[in-house]
Amino acid sequence: GEFGLRKGAIYTINAFKDFGEEKFSLKIAGNFDMKKSLKKSSNVELLGHCSFEKLKELLSWADIFIMPSLAEGSAVAGSEAICSGVPVIVTEESGIYCIDDYNGKIVKARDSIDLKDKLNYLFYNREKLKQLILNCCNESYKSLSSRIYNKKLFEFLNSLN
């Protein structure tokens, strides 16, 4: 995959630039076309293209999956995160099935401050983060089989008309 302008990379980088490594670590999977805009930081790691095994490893490491996309069809990566028990922070434009405050947080597109606020909220509200993780696991278990997921996605897309 790729992590660039369309995926909201600049807003993610801006949200993280003031955090110290003791608070957050950001691992960016996928080709990153904005390396020049990224200052050297000990809490940001560019991984480039990752194998499926590496992605599974990252999801087992992650507390939160971030994808503040400006435009997506149906981002599989976010669903993989939720199915792995990792809450998401996404935009409505991401195409990820996220129920705000249930299996993740929804942020406004093009808004680094909103993203930073949601990260801080989950950092300081560990019980809420634990509840989101539990909800992801429950959602994955009961309703994210490919057949049910596709049905829900189809219903959601039809509701947009």
Side-chain angles (χ1 to χ4, degrees):
E2 208 173 288
F3 186 64
L5 286 174
R6 184 175 56 89
K7 303 276 187 176
I10 195 71
Y11 307 103
T12 303
I13 299 304
N14 285 340
F16 269 82
K17 69 181 180 185
D18 296 330
F19 291 137
E21 65 182 273
E22 68 282 349
K23 195 170 193 180
F24 293 107
S25 292
L26 175 64
K27 294 188 180 190
I28 299 174
N31 297 323
F32 184 58
D33 62 4
M34 302 177 63
K35 291 178 185 169
K36 291 179 182 175
S37 65
L38 183 64
K39 294 179 185 172
K40 286 284 184 190
S41 177
S42 59
N43 68 333
V44 178
E45 186 178 354
L46 302 176
L47 302 171
H49 177 77
C50 295
S51 68
F52 185 68
E53 290 301 316
K54 180 65 174 176
L55 292 175
K56 288 192 322 188
E57 180 184 313
L58 285 170
L59 287 173
S60 69
W61 167 84
D63 292 322
I64 301 167
F65 175 89
I66 302 169
M67 191 175 209
S69 292
L70 307 180
E72 275 309 314
S74 176
V76 174
S79 297
E80 290 172 340
I82 292 169
C83 287
S84 299
V86 180
V88 297
I89 297 180
V90 297
T91 58
E92 289 182 354
E93 294 81 357
S94 71
I96 296 171
Y97 182 73
C98 176
I99 302 169
D100 196 34
D101 236 17
Y102 177 74
N103 60 353
K105 300 295 253 175
I106 297 176
V107 294
K108 293 177 237 143
R110 297 178 168 86
D111 193 336
S112 298
I113 294 170
D114 192 27
L115 176 55
K116 187 175 180 176
D117 289 346
K118 297 291 185 343
L119 285 165
N120 269 320
Y121 173 80
L122 292 174
F123 181 79
Y124 290 110
N125 294 281
R126 293 306 224 189
E127 288 304 313
K128 181 60 180 179
L129 179 59
K130 288 178 189 174
Q131 186 60 52
L132 293 176
I133 292 168
L134 181 62
N135 292 344
C136 286
C137 292
N138 288 336
E139 185 72 13
S140 174
Y141 176 75
K142 71 178 183 179
S143 66
L144 282 183
S145 71
S146 61
R147 184 177 56 79
I148 294 172
Y149 174 78
N150 289 337
K151 181 180 180 233
K152 283 185 176 187
L153 180 61
F154 183 75
E155 289 170 357
F156 172 72
L157 293 172
N158 280 334
S159 75
L160 297 176
N161 292 334

CSV table of all heavy atoms in Angstrom, one decimal, residues 74 79 97 139 142-160:
chain,number,residue,atom,x,y,z
A,74,SER,N,-13.1,1.4,0.0
A,74,SER,CA,-13.3,0.5,1.2
A,74,SER,C,-12.0,0.1,1.6
A,74,SER,O,-11.4,-0.9,1.0
A,74,SER,CB,-14.3,-0.6,0.8
A,74,SER,OG,-14.4,-1.5,2.0
A,79,SER,N,-10.4,-2.6,8.4
A,79,SER,CA,-11.2,-3.7,8.8
A,79,SER,C,-10.3,-4.8,9.4
A,79,SER,O,-10.6,-5.5,10.4
A,79,SER,CB,-11.9,-4.3,7.6
A,79,SER,OG,-12.9,-3.4,7.1
A,97,TYR,N,-15.6,0.8,8.3
A,97,TYR,CA,-16.8,0.7,9.1
A,97,TYR,C,-16.4,0.9,10.6
A,97,TYR,O,-16.0,0.0,11.3
A,97,TYR,CB,-17.4,-0.7,8.9
A,97,TYR,CG,-18.6,-1.0,9.7
A,97,TYR,CD1,-19.8,-0.4,9.3
A,97,TYR,CD2,-18.6,-1.8,10.8
A,97,TYR,CE1,-21.0,-0.6,10.0
A,97,TYR,CE2,-19.8,-2.1,11.5
A,97,TYR,CZ,-21.0,-1.5,11.1
A,97,TYR,OH,-22.2,-1.7,11.8
A,139,GLU,N,-17.0,-7.4,18.0
A,139,GLU,CA,-17.5,-7.1,16.6
A,139,GLU,C,-16.9,-8.1,15.6
A,139,GLU,O,-17.6,-8.6,14.8
A,139,GLU,CB,-17.2,-5.7,16.3
A,139,GLU,CG,-17.7,-5.2,14.9
A,139,GLU,CD,-19.2,-5.0,15.0
A,139,GLU,OE1,-19.8,-5.0,16.1
A,139,GLU,OE2,-19.8,-4.9,13.9
A,142,LYS,N,-18.5,-11.6,16.2
A,142,LYS,CA,-19.9,-11.9,15.9
A,142,LYS,C,-20.4,-11.4,14.5
A,142,LYS,O,-21.4,-11.9,14.0
A,142,LYS,CB,-20.8,-11.2,17.0
A,142,LYS,CG,-20.8,-9.7,16.9
A,142,LYS,CD,-21.8,-9.1,18.0
A,142,LYS,CE,-21.8,-7.6,17.8
A,142,LYS,NZ,-22.7,-6.9,18.7
A,143,SER,N,-19.7,-10.5,13.9
A,143,SER,CA,-20.3,-9.9,12.7
A,143,SER,C,-19.3,-9.6,11.6
A,143,SER,O,-19.8,-9.1,10.6
A,143,SER,CB,-21.1,-8.7,13.1
A,143,SER,OG,-20.2,-7.7,13.5
A,144,LEU,N,-18.0,-9.8,11.7
A,144,LEU,CA,-17.2,-9.4,10.6
A,144,LEU,C,-16.7,-10.6,9.7
A,144,LEU,O,-15.6,-10.5,9.2
A,144,LEU,CB,-16.0,-8.6,11.1
A,144,LEU,CG,-16.3,-7.1,11.4
A,144,LEU,CD1,-15.1,-6.4,11.8
A,144,LEU,CD2,-17.0,-6.4,10.2
A,145,SER,N,-17.5,-11.6,9.7
A,145,SER,CA,-17.2,-12.6,8.6
A,145,SER,C,-17.3,-11.9,7.3
A,145,SER,O,-18.0,-10.9,7.2
A,145,SER,CB,-18.2,-13.8,8.7
A,145,SER,OG,-19.5,-13.4,8.3
A,146,SER,N,-16.7,-12.4,6.3
A,146,SER,CA,-16.7,-11.7,5.0
A,146,SER,C,-18.1,-11.5,4.5
A,146,SER,O,-18.5,-10.5,3.9
A,146,SER,CB,-15.8,-12.4,4.0
A,146,SER,OG,-16.3,-13.7,3.8
A,147,ARG,N,-19.0,-12.5,4.7
A,147,ARG,CA,-20.4,-12.5,4.2
A,147,ARG,C,-21.2,-11.4,4.9
A,147,ARG,O,-21.8,-10.5,4.2
A,147,ARG,CB,-21.1,-13.8,4.4
A,147,ARG,CG,-22.5,-13.9,3.8
A,147,ARG,CD,-23.1,-15.3,3.9
A,147,ARG,NE,-23.1,-15.8,5.3
A,147,ARG,CZ,-24.0,-15.4,6.2
A,147,ARG,NH1,-24.9,-14.6,5.9
A,147,ARG,NH2,-24.0,-15.9,7.4
A,148,ILE,N,-21.1,-11.3,6.2
A,148,ILE,CA,-21.8,-10.3,7.0
A,148,ILE,C,-21.2,-8.9,6.7
A,148,ILE,O,-21.9,-8.0,6.6
A,148,ILE,CB,-21.8,-10.7,8.5
A,148,ILE,CG1,-22.6,-12.0,8.6
A,148,ILE,CG2,-22.4,-9.6,9.3
A,148,ILE,CD1,-22.6,-12.6,10.0
A,149,TYR,N,-19.9,-8.8,6.7
A,149,TYR,CA,-19.2,-7.6,6.4
A,149,TYR,C,-19.7,-7.0,5.1
A,149,TYR,O,-20.0,-5.8,5.0
A,149,TYR,CB,-17.7,-7.7,6.5
A,149,TYR,CG,-17.0,-6.4,6.1
A,149,TYR,CD1,-16.9,-5.4,7.0
A,149,TYR,CD2,-16.5,-6.3,4.8
A,149,TYR,CE1,-16.3,-4.2,6.6
A,149,TYR,CE2,-15.9,-5.1,4.4
A,149,TYR,CZ,-15.8,-4.0,5.3
A,149,TYR,OH,-15.2,-2.9,5.0
A,150,ASN,N,-19.7,-7.8,4.1
A,150,ASN,CA,-20.1,-7.3,2.7
A,150,ASN,C,-21.5,-6.9,2.8
A,150,ASN,O,-21.9,-5.8,2.1
A,150,ASN,CB,-19.9,-8.4,1.7
A,150,ASN,CG,-18.4,-8.7,1.4
A,150,ASN,OD1,-17.6,-7.8,1.6
A,150,ASN,ND2,-18.1,-9.8,0.9
A,151,LYS,N,-22.4,-7.6,3.5
A,151,LYS,CA,-23.8,-7.2,3.6
A,151,LYS,C,-23.9,-5.8,4.3
A,151,LYS,O,-24.6,-4.9,3.8
A,151,LYS,CB,-24.6,-8.2,4.3
A,151,LYS,CG,-26.1,-7.9,4.4
A,151,LYS,CD,-26.8,-9.0,5.2
A,151,LYS,CE,-28.3,-8.6,5.3
A,151,LYS,NZ,-28.8,-8.6,6.6
A,152,LYS,N,-23.2,-5.7,5.4
A,152,LYS,CA,-23.3,-4.4,6.1
A,152,LYS,C,-22.7,-3.2,5.3
A,152,LYS,O,-23.2,-2.1,5.3
A,152,LYS,CB,-22.5,-4.5,7.4
A,152,LYS,CG,-23.2,-5.2,8.5
A,152,LYS,CD,-22.4,-5.2,9.8
A,152,LYS,CE,-23.1,-5.8,10.9
A,152,LYS,NZ,-22.4,-5.6,12.2
A,153,LEU,N,-21.6,-3.5,4.6
A,153,LEU,CA,-21.0,-2.5,3.7
A,153,LEU,C,-22.0,-2.1,2.6
A,153,LEU,O,-22.1,-0.9,2.4
A,153,LEU,CB,-19.7,-3.0,3.2
A,153,LEU,CG,-18.9,-2.0,2.2
A,153,LEU,CD1,-18.6,-0.8,3.0
A,153,LEU,CD2,-17.7,-2.7,1.7
A,154,PHE,N,-22.6,-3.1,2.0
A,154,PHE,CA,-23.6,-2.8,0.9
A,154,PHE,C,-24.7,-1.9,1.5
A,154,PHE,O,-25.1,-1.0,0.9
A,154,PHE,CB,-24.1,-4.1,0.4
A,154,PHE,CG,-25.0,-4.0,-0.8
A,154,PHE,CD1,-24.6,-3.6,-2.0
A,154,PHE,CD2,-26.4,-4.2,-0.6
A,154,PHE,CE1,-25.4,-3.4,-3.1
A,154,PHE,CE2,-27.3,-4.0,-1.6
A,154,PHE,CZ,-26.8,-3.6,-2.9
A,155,GLU,N,-25.3,-2.3,2.7
A,155,GLU,CA,-26.3,-1.5,3.3
A,155,GLU,C,-25.9,-0.1,3.6
A,155,GLU,O,-26.6,0.9,3.4
A,155,GLU,CB,-26.8,-2.2,4.6
A,155,GLU,CG,-27.6,-3.5,4.3
A,155,GLU,CD,-27.9,-4.3,5.5
A,155,GLU,OE1,-27.4,-3.9,6.7
A,155,GLU,OE2,-28.5,-5.4,5.4
A,156,PHE,N,-24.7,0.0,4.1
A,156,PHE,CA,-24.2,1.3,4.4
A,156,PHE,C,-24.0,2.2,3.2
A,156,PHE,O,-24.5,3.4,3.2
A,156,PHE,CB,-22.8,1.2,5.2
A,156,PHE,CG,-22.1,2.5,5.4
A,156,PHE,CD1,-22.6,3.4,6.3
A,156,PHE,CD2,-21.0,2.9,4.6
A,156,PHE,CE1,-21.9,4.7,6.5
A,156,PHE,CE2,-20.4,4.1,4.8
A,156,PHE,CZ,-20.8,5.0,5.7
A,157,LEU,N,-23.5,1.6,2.2
A,157,LEU,CA,-23.3,2.4,0.9
A,157,LEU,C,-24.6,2.8,0.3
A,157,LEU,O,-24.8,3.9,-0.2
A,157,LEU,CB,-22.4,1.6,-0.1
A,157,LEU,CG,-21.0,1.4,0.3
A,157,LEU,CD1,-20.3,0.4,-0.6
A,157,LEU,CD2,-20.2,2.7,0.4
A,158,ASN,N,-25.6,1.9,0.4
A,158,ASN,CA,-26.9,2.2,-0.1
A,158,ASN,C,-27.6,3.3,0.7
A,158,ASN,O,-28.4,4.1,0.2
A,158,ASN,CB,-27.8,1.0,-0.1
A,158,ASN,CG,-27.6,0.1,-1.3
A,158,ASN,OD1,-27.1,0.6,-2.4
A,158,ASN,ND2,-27.9,-1.2,-1.2
A,159,SER,N,-27.3,3.4,2.0
A,159,SER,CA,-27.9,4.5,2.8
A,159,SER,C,-27.3,5.9,2.5
A,159,SER,O,-27.9,6.8,2.9
A,159,SER,CB,-27.6,4.2,4.3
A,159,SER,OG,-26.2,4.4,4.7
A,160,LEU,N,-26.2,5.9,1.8
A,160,LEU,CA,-25.6,7.2,1.4
A,160,LEU,C,-26.4,7.9,0.3
A,160,LEU,O,-26.2,9.1,0.1
A,160,LEU,CB,-24.2,7.1,1.0
A,160,LEU,CG,-23.2,6.5,2.1
A,160,LEU,CD1,-21.9,6.3,1.5
A,160,LEU,CD2,-23.2,7.4,3.3
